[in-house]
Amino acid sequence: MAAYRVWRGVAPLVLPILLIALWFASTRGTPSMFFPKPELVLERFIANWLFALVPVHVVPSLVRLGLGVLIAMVGGVAIGMLLGMKPGLFKIVRPYLAFGRSLPGSAIVVIFLVSLGSSDFSRVMMIAYVAIFPVIMNTVDGVRGIDSVLLDAMRSYRFGRLQRIWHIYMKGSSPQVSVGIRTAISFAFMIMIVSEYFGGTNGIGYFTRESAGSFFMADMWSGMILLGILGILINAIVAYLQKHLLAWYFASRAISK
């Protein structure tokens, strides 16, 4: 049992260690401009991101990401609640939702850059647009999946509108909503990078593009590694919040098993 626990803790590190070892081995021979040595990338990572360029590029990226996700969360939950409680309205709106969420990210970037220009507001709206659809659809599914017994009890006790929304619909659909938010954040992170890459003036995506265009490959790789680290950290934070905010839900599932 002890060995199994140790393996579970070490297993996620095996693949990164193998990839780093492969990187070291492949760059020992003839140097490549496009694949610099790991020690050079590490040197540029420390010089760039600990902490010289954090206020210039990392903070603006995370602020835009946070604002876009916040707009998507608030708007997506509100719209999803309304559509979930009004099945007839959802049937009317559903084709438009399917059309909107099927548009590729590259097309979204072009549309927003042309219509709103290359500004922080435009990039925040891109992020919010892409992130709102998973929140809406998962909220609708969560509301429609609430146990009919709870709905009957709600009517029996004559809950007011706000009581119904908060105690029944919000809490009952929260596990499904959390899944939608987690999906939305992953979409938002990708479109944050793409929006900065095309037409950006700062941000990690902009830095990566400028470094590649100037053939500063070690800087480019340092930016890509930073994006990977941020993605892991954001996912870990969201998973932690999901686990603790929905502890009652996971506890009830464990009991039912």
Side-chain angles (χ1 to χ4, degrees), residues 14-178:
V14 172
L15 181 59
I17 291 172
L18 289 176
L19 291 175
I20 292 172
L22 179 62
W23 190 0
F24 267 103
S26 62
T27 55
R28 292 305 91 186
T30 305
S32 171
M33 179 179 68
F34 299 103
F35 297 98
K37 295 181 178 180
E39 53 265 34
L40 178 58
V41 175
L42 178 62
E43 177 186 326
R44 296 311 304 160
F45 184 91
I46 294 172
N48 291 331
W49 311 119
L50 299 177
F51 292 91
L53 297 182
V54 170
V56 180
H57 294 299
V58 179
V59 173
S61 290
L62 293 181
V63 169
R64 287 190 287 263
L65 177 67
L67 289 174
V69 170
L70 180 62
I71 293 170
M73 286 171 55
V74 175
V77 170
I79 296 170
M81 285 286 169
L82 175 62
L83 296 178
M85 292 186 290
K86 304 289 185 182
L89 180 61
F90 178 62
K91 288 182 180 179
I92 297 172
V93 175
R94 189 171 186 173
Y96 303 100
L97 292 175
F99 174 79
R101 68 175 179 170
S102 66
L103 292 176
S106 55
I108 296 301
V109 171
V110 172
I111 291 170
F112 276 86
L113 287 177
V114 170
S115 58
L116 298 178
S118 179
S119 63
D120 284 346
F121 176 75
S122 174
R123 283 187 281 277
V124 169
M125 290 297 103
M126 292 180 209
I127 294 169
Y129 177 87
V130 171
I132 198 170
F133 291 102
V135 181
I136 291 174
M137 300 307 294
N138 278 272
T139 302
V140 171
D141 289 342
V143 171
R144 297 178 69 183
I146 293 175
D147 194 338
S148 59
V149 175
L150 286 176
L151 299 177
D152 292 338
M154 171 190 72
R155 298 185 188 97
S156 299
Y157 285 102
R158 297 182 180 179
F159 278 21
R161 183 181 297 273
L162 292 179
Q163 288 178 311
R164 293 199 304 269
I165 292 173
W166 176 251
H167 291 288
I168 302 297
Y169 292 114
M170 283 290 291
K171 290 187 178 180
S173 64
S174 56
Q176 195 74 10
V177 172
S178 71

